[in-house]
Amino acid sequence: MFGPLPASRSHRTAAAAVNRTRTTLRGTSGGAGQTPGFEFRSEHVAVGCGSVSLCQQLVQITASAGDEVIFGWRSFELYPPLVQVAGATAIQVPLTDHTFDLDAMLPQSRRTRLIFVCNPNNPTSTVVARMPDRFIAGSADILIAIDEAYAEYIREPCCPTAWSWSAPQNVVVLRTFSKPMAGGLRIGYAVGHPS
């Protein structure tokens, strides 16, 4: 409706004037990408219209009628309707001290297909500093989506993001350029195992 802020528009214009290399979300010149603590190749990346569309795709490819999707609550407001549209059941796990209780989020049913961990959480801003091994091991057959749409707002050095640990095969990390740096561009990306 209002478009990008004037400062954002001028930054994009200036960057476009000097950037003559072919850079993609899959790495510079189409090669492998590297983020601190995590290397990935192009087959590890999916791109969407913001991270919301990627959340929707994850729900649609993992869950349908009779399946369950787990997430902490209160959290990102679109998780419940995305699950509902897929015909799956939303399992909303209450927060403890305004943050995720990962032990309570461990699957209690064989019908669980997907777990969302919004980190930092929206709207509480709390951070899960590290996924405990028991959480990952207890969910080995379930896709875990670490939704880091607001990761650029983490300021404490004690609160790393998923890039700082080696993610197992069943973990996908969601990020977006639409929050702090894109000035209104809706570009999200998911990084995970190709399978």
Side-chain angles (χ1 to χ4, degrees), residues 113-181:
R113 300 288 179 258
L114 175 63
I115 299 172
F116 279 111
V117 179
C118 188
N119 197 37
N121 189 30
N122 170 7
T124 64
S125 301
T126 53
V127 176
V128 174
R130 181 164 176 76
M131 298 293 140
D133 291 338
R134 68 183 177 280
F135 181 74
I136 301 295
S139 309
D141 296 329
I142 298 162
L143 185 62
I144 300 172
I146 312 297
D147 184 353
E148 294 190 341
Y150 291 90
E152 285 78 15
Y153 296 109
I154 298 174
R155 295 290 183 237
E156 299 89 17
C158 66
C159 300
T161 66
W163 299 128
S164 64
W165 49 278
S166 294
Q169 240 179 292
N170 65 319
V171 173
V172 62
V173 178
L174 304 172
R175 289 286 189 96
T176 182
F177 290 117
S178 65
K179 298 294 183 265
M181 61 186 110

Side-chain angles (χ1 to χ4, degrees), residues 20 41 60 79 92 115 167:
R20 299 288 182 237
R41 300 193 46 78
Q60 290 176 338
Y79 294 153
Q92 299 179 354
I115 299 172

Side-chain angles (χ1 to χ4, degrees), residues 177-195:
F177 290 117
S178 65
K179 298 294 183 265
M181 61 186 110
L185 296 177
R186 297 289 305 166
I187 303 170
Y189 60 102
V191 179
H193 193 273
S195 63

